[in-house]
Amino acid sequence: MRIMHTADWHIGKRLNAFDLQDDQAAVFERLVKVAQEQQVDAIMIAGDLYDRALPNETAVTMVNGMLHRLNRELGYPLLVISGNHDSAVRLGTGREWYDATQLYLNTELAQAFTPVELGDVQFFLLPYFEPVAARLYFHDDSLTNINKAMHRVAAALEEKFDPAKKHVLIAHFFAAGSKHSESETLVNVGGLDAVSVDDLQAFDYVALGHLHNRKALNEPKVQYSGSLLKYSVSEVTQEKGVYILDTDTMNRHFISLAPLHEVQQLTGSFKEFSDSDHFSAAERDAYTAITLTDVEVIPNVMASLRQVFPRIIELKREQHVQLETATQTNVKLGPMPLLADFYQQVTGSELTPEQETWAKAALAEASRSELGQE
Amino acid sequence: MRIMHTADWHIGKRLNAFDLQDDQAAVFERLVKVAQEQQVDAIMIAGDLYDRALPNETAVTMVNGMLHRLNRELGYPLLVISGNHDSAVRLGTGREWYDATQLYLNTELAQAFTPVELGDVQFFLLPYFEPVAARLYFHDDSLTNINKAMHRVAAALEEKFDPAKKHVLIAHFFAAGSKHSESETLVNVGGLDAVSVDDLQAFDYVALGHLHNRKALNEPKVQYSGSLLKYSVSEVTQEKGVYILDTDTMNRHFISLAPLHEVQQLTGSFKEFSDSDHFSAAERDAYTAITLTDVEVIPNVMASLRQVFPRIIELKREQHVQLETATQTNVKLGPMPLLADFYQQVTGSELTPEQETWAKAALAEASRSELGQE
């Protein structure tokens, strides 16, 4: 069988002031096209269908519509779990009716222990859960963190294994590298909130959601699909799309989905950004985080930049960035050296002797005033 | 067929500070018992399943659980519409899957024109809608109020009538009396927001939700079921329950549902209410609106009354009530007559000559101060 693996739709998400409804609708179209071109037999959606536990009605309409289209109109079996951004209760509405058309939706831990069988594969749909849910389910107070809880859950899932079948886990958590490999830092440092991939080795494939970077793990059988779109500036370099899993070989390949608008980060001078000829239409249309190299005050800077880039999601000065780092090391300096340092970082020049005299006088006056010696 | 008619569940509603979850769960049990005892063939739920468009997760769990129980566990066909308190989009989640088990749920006007057939009856499930929805659906800008819109909708529904069947409408709006009868005031005065029962005459039965008083209309074929519980002090005298409709004769009878706690309004003195022996356990357990006849200040009045009545939803003084009415007519009096009047109403006594002297002096001083003559 060929199974599509997608996750982290985050329908309803805004990118700063911008509603991503059109972008999400467009990438839904592309996802449908890929499913058809790749002739997939089913689709796994590994959590965070919604961006918020209380999605607005537009988001509800979009998710309901997409699930209906994939399952009822196009006939794909769907294997769906809730993520930490979803409300298990709200997303779970109607689940008892859905499996009649092979829409399998799990939103509670207890539901994970009944696998869904398609062809020669057992699919285990493990929704996002808190350690307390595992403590209650197993009556075991020792499951104080997700790593311990998942160790126990994995063992319980393995008990349901049909040895004649293959075993795929669909889950939504922060998985970190093996304790026995180079990447152990993540488990040990990131600590108790991460699940070790060691506990997932019994499965032939683990289709994960949660981390938006599909390359967050480098494991032979454990894979994040990554999010459907770039949902923050930190994701600008990440390719977004879906995985196609061949369950005969458990090989997978990634298919990227072109977004309606890119998300990009640009650094340059106000002059460069003001010249629309410097940029392609696609670049100008992108959700853009701009870092200005200019030092001087620019009147109406945002309004001016929006003439060229209507979708600015962030505007920073390069100097401010340096300043933020620099001040970390300067906390022990007195007011005058700090002021001189600040001036130098913001303007790139030293204080003149005359400016230094003025500044010292002002600081002395402020100090007297503060001590009530006026 | 025997069909139960219920409406206005308002799950998630609070009565002042009190969560009604236990009361609503208890009345659900009684409703189920009545359905079984009466051997009904289906259940009509005429809107306002939820109290709010954004119900909390507990409310969602309750409604989902009740629909599942009635339909999937007990096997009743359900005929459900959204009311003005429901979010059509949220309540409508999963509706395309539900009809596979005869859970028919309409939340959009356009869905009303496809009747549900059970036995020899066509059921028309018309959800609450705004006039703008009718204007868009019919491409008719003249439908500026619900009365005009409903006139048009009713005609369009009638076009779908199978003459060999009976016709039941399930709807959620404010229906008023006939224009041609004694009760015409309602239509003319309540005005444009009310639907005239004249437009509903083509149906053999109209099962309504919206008004909480089952006796709000006195029409042979048009019936409010009333709400499931008493949801305000104004409903204390209303009997709550469900109707059982016999579709062979279109006769209906009412079956009351005893609440877990009553809602009552009591008037008396603090001394009477402080004596728990005066009241039965059921009276003390009721959600109680108390009107005190006392005039004097009572320290810790609420805390004291709660010793006897733990579920006080309203506390008023009889004198205050009279005052509210009285002040309407006194707006033209000067400050001194108003003060004397106020004192008389609050205490039941006239000002003494000494008090009157003090009051006049205080008013004169306040007046000088106000005019800046101090």
Side-chain angles (χ1 to χ4, degrees):
Chain A
M1 287 190 298
R2 305 197 91 186
I3 316 284
M4 179 183 281
H5 168 198
T6 173
D8 293 277
W9 289 359
H10 287 273
I11 302 305
K13 184 166 179 64
R14 300 174 69 88
L15 208 47
N16 293 12
F18 297 95
D19 191 326
L20 296 179
Q21 188 184 345
D22 290 346
D23 299 82
Q24 294 180 322
V27 78
F28 270 176
E29 292 305 313
R30 284 157 201 181
L31 185 148
V32 165
K33 198 155 167 270
V34 168
Q36 293 175 315
E37 286 171 353
Q38 294 285 317
Q39 300 185 293
V40 303
D41 299 297
I43 299 174
M44 304 184 283
I45 311 172
D48 284 0
L49 284 71
Y50 288 107
D51 189 55
R52 297 171 51 191
L54 260 176
N56 66 28
E57 292 193 345
T58 305
V60 175
T61 302
M62 278 188 72
V63 168
N64 285 355
M66 185 61 168
L67 295 179
H68 185 265
R69 185 172 176 197
L70 292 173
N71 180 247
R72 298 298 296 264
E73 294 172 29
L74 301 172
Y76 295 115
L78 301 184
L79 303 146
V80 188
I81 58 169
S82 49
N84 56 309
H85 279 248
D86 302 306
S87 156
V89 167
R90 290 179 216 280
L91 182 62
T93 295
R95 69 176 290 277
E96 300 90 348
W97 281 265
Y98 298 150
D99 57 7
T101 59
Q102 294 193 297
L103 195 178
Y104 304 100
L105 167 62
N106 281 359
T107 62
E108 304 291 343
L109 173 60
Q111 297 158 355
F113 304 99
T114 307
V116 172
E117 300 197 356
L118 295 180
D120 62 346
V121 181
Q122 281 185 309
F123 291 90
F124 291 87
L125 281 61
L126 175 66
Y128 171 81
F129 65 96
E130 299 276 353
V132 63
R135 290 199 290 278
L136 292 169
Y137 182 78
F138 292 107
H139 305 287
D140 180 350
D141 286 342
S142 76
L143 307 177
T144 50
N145 63 51
I146 194 65
N147 202 2
K148 290 179 188 173
M150 193 53 214
H151 184 77
R152 181 76 189 258
V153 166
L157 293 173
E158 284 172 46
E159 286 175 21
K160 307 290 180 180
F161 277 18
D162 175 349
K165 304 257 181 189
K166 288 170 180 163
H167 312 102
V168 171
L169 175 66
I170 305 168
H172 189 98
F173 49 59
F174 175 26
S178 165
K179 285 175 193 150
H180 313 298
S181 80
E182 294 287 318
S183 60
E184 72 186 278
T185 12
L186 257 180
V187 178
N188 293 343
V189 177
L192 306 174
D193 289 339
V195 169
S196 163
V197 295
D198 297 345
D199 285 325
L200 309 173
Q201 295 306 318
F203 294 94
D204 296 294
Y205 184 75
V206 180
L208 289 177
H210 193 46
L211 299 185
H212 289 196
N213 182 358
R214 69 183 178 94
K215 294 184 172 171
L217 275 181
N218 184 16
E219 293 289 328
K221 301 190 299 185
V222 186
Q223 183 68 56
Y224 283 99
S225 69
S227 55
L228 206 50
L229 290 169
K230 295 173 184 176
Y231 285 132
S232 87
V233 177
S234 68
E235 299 175 29
V236 289
T237 61
Q238 298 170 12
E239 198 182 14
K240 300 297 185 180
V242 297
Y243 275 89
I244 304 293
L245 174 73
D246 181 334
T247 61
D248 295 336
T249 60
M250 290 295 164
N251 287 337
R252 62 203 187 251
H253 68 278
F254 181 76
I255 297 183
S256 65
L257 299 175
L260 184 61
H261 304 102
E262 258 299 346
V263 179
Q264 65 190 356
Q265 182 160 36
L266 300 177
T267 300
S269 70
F270 179 71
K271 189 156 174 289
E272 289 172 272
F273 289 129
S274 302
D275 180 1
S276 66
D277 294 341
H278 268 161
F279 303 94
S280 69
E283 285 173 320
R284 294 194 304 268
D285 275 350
Y287 295 105
T288 306
I290 289 181
T291 302
L292 288 179
T293 54
D294 309 77
V295 172
E296 64 275 16
V297 171
I298 305 168
N300 292 320
V301 57
M302 196 55 142
S304 304
L305 289 171
R306 280 200 184 120
Q307 300 290 320
V308 180
F309 298 95
R311 292 184 184 80
I312 296 176
I313 56 172
E314 191 179 287
L315 179 61
K316 292 203 293 195
R317 297 285 192 130
E318 200 171 44
Q319 299 289 8
H320 287 185
V321 181
Q322 289 178 7
L323 184 62
E324 280 164 24
T325 320
T327 47
Q328 301 293 321
T329 60
N330 286 339
V331 284
K332 289 175 189 164
L333 298 176
M336 192 58 220
L338 269 177
L339 192 152
D341 196 40
F342 175 77
Y343 185 85
Q344 198 276 332
Q345 284 179 21
V346 170
T347 65
S349 322
E350 304 276 333
L351 284 170
T352 63
E354 192 175 14
Q355 287 173 323
E356 201 171 333
T357 308
W358 291 339
K360 279 181 179 166
L363 282 171
E365 193 173 329
S367 174
R368 271 200 309 280
S369 168
E370 199 170 50
L371 297 170
Q373 300 176 356
E374 182 72 35
Chain B
M1 287 189 299
R2 305 197 92 185
I3 316 283
M4 178 183 281
H5 168 199
T6 173
D8 294 278
W9 289 359
H10 287 274
I11 302 305
K13 184 164 178 65
R14 300 174 69 88
L15 209 48
N16 293 12
F18 297 95
D19 190 327
L20 296 179
Q21 188 184 343
D22 290 347
D23 298 82
Q24 294 180 322
V27 79
F28 270 178
E29 291 306 313
R30 284 155 200 182
L31 185 148
V32 165
K33 197 154 167 272
V34 169
Q36 292 175 316
E37 287 171 353
Q38 294 286 316
Q39 301 184 294
V40 304
D41 299 297
I43 300 174
M44 305 185 281
I45 311 171
D48 284 1
L49 283 72
Y50 288 107
D51 190 55
R52 298 170 52 191
L54 259 176
N56 66 28
E57 291 193 345
T58 305
V60 175
T61 302
M62 278 187 72
V63 168
N64 286 354
M66 185 62 168
L67 295 179
H68 184 264
R69 184 172 177 196
L70 292 173
N71 180 249
R72 298 297 296 265
E73 294 172 29
L74 301 172
Y76 294 115
L78 301 184
L79 304 145
V80 188
I81 58 169
S82 49
N84 56 309
H85 278 249
D86 301 307
S87 157
V89 166
R90 289 178 217 279
L91 182 62
T93 294
R95 71 176 288 278
E96 300 90 348
W97 281 264
Y98 298 149
D99 58 7
T101 59
Q102 294 193 298
L103 195 177
Y104 304 100
L105 167 63
N106 282 359
T107 62
E108 305 290 344
L109 173 59
Q111 297 157 355
F113 304 99
T114 307
V116 172
E117 300 197 355
L118 296 178
D120 63 344
V121 181
Q122 282 185 308
F123 291 90
F124 291 86
L125 281 60
L126 175 66
Y128 171 81
F129 65 95
E130 299 278 351
V132 63
R135 291 199 290 278
L136 291 169
Y137 182 79
F138 293 108
H139 305 287
D140 181 349
D141 286 342
S142 76
L143 307 176
T144 51
N145 63 51
I146 195 65
N147 203 2
K148 291 180 188 173
M150 194 52 214
H151 184 76
R152 180 77 189 259
V153 166
L157 292 173
E158 285 172 44
E159 286 174 20
K160 308 290 180 180
F161 277 19
D162 175 349
K165 305 257 180 187
K166 289 171 179 162
H167 311 102
V168 171
L169 174 67
I170 305 167
H172 189 98
F173 48 60
F174 175 27
S178 166
K179 285 173 193 150
H180 313 297
S181 80
E182 294 287 319
S183 60
E184 72 186 280
T185 13
L186 256 180
V187 178
N188 293 343
V189 177
L192 307 174
D193 290 338
V195 169
S196 163
V197 296
D198 296 345
D199 285 325
L200 309 173
Q201 296 305 318
F203 295 94
D204 297 293
Y205 184 74
V206 180
L208 288 178
H210 192 48
L211 299 184
H212 288 196
N213 183 357
R214 70 182 179 94
K215 295 184 173 172
L217 275 180
N218 184 16
E219 293 289 329
K221 301 191 298 185
V222 186
Q223 183 67 56
Y224 282 99
S225 67
S227 55
L228 205 50
L229 290 169
K230 296 174 184 177
Y231 286 133
S232 87
V233 176
S234 68
E235 299 174 30
V236 290
T237 61
Q238 298 171 12
E239 197 182 14
K240 301 297 184 179
V242 297
Y243 275 89
I244 304 292
L245 174 73
D246 181 335
T247 61
D248 296 337
T249 59
M250 291 296 164
N251 287 337
R252 62 202 185 254
H253 67 280
F254 181 76
I255 297 184
S256 64
L257 299 175
L260 183 62
H261 305 102
E262 259 297 347
V263 180
Q264 65 190 355
Q265 183 160 35
L266 300 177
T267 300
S269 70
F270 178 72
K271 187 157 175 291
E272 288 172 271
F273 290 130
S274 302
D275 180 3
S276 64
D277 294 341
H278 268 161
F279 303 93
S280 69
E283 283 173 321
R284 294 194 303 268
D285 275 350
Y287 295 105
T288 305
I290 288 182
T291 303
L292 288 178
T293 53
D294 309 77
V295 172
E296 63 276 14
V297 171
I298 305 168
N300 293 321
V301 58
M302 195 55 141
S304 303
L305 290 170
R306 280 201 184 119
Q307 300 290 321
V308 180
F309 299 95
R311 294 184 183 78
I312 297 176
I313 56 172
E314 192 179 285
L315 179 62
K316 291 201 294 196
R317 296 284 192 130
E318 199 171 46
Q319 299 288 8
H320 287 185
V321 181
Q322 289 178 8
L323 183 62
E324 279 163 25
T325 320
T327 46
Q328 301 294 321
T329 60
N330 285 339
V331 286
K332 288 174 189 164
L333 298 176
M336 192 58 220
L338 268 177
L339 192 151
D341 197 39
F342 175 77
Y343 184 85
Q344 199 275 333
Q345 283 180 19
V346 170
T347 65
S349 321
E350 304 276 333
L351 283 170
T352 64
E354 191 174 16
Q355 286 172 324
E356 201 171 331
T357 310
W358 292 338
K360 279 181 179 165
L363 282 170
E365 192 174 330
S367 174
R368 272 200 309 279
S369 168
E370 200 170 49
L371 297 169
Q373 298 175 358
E374 182 73 34

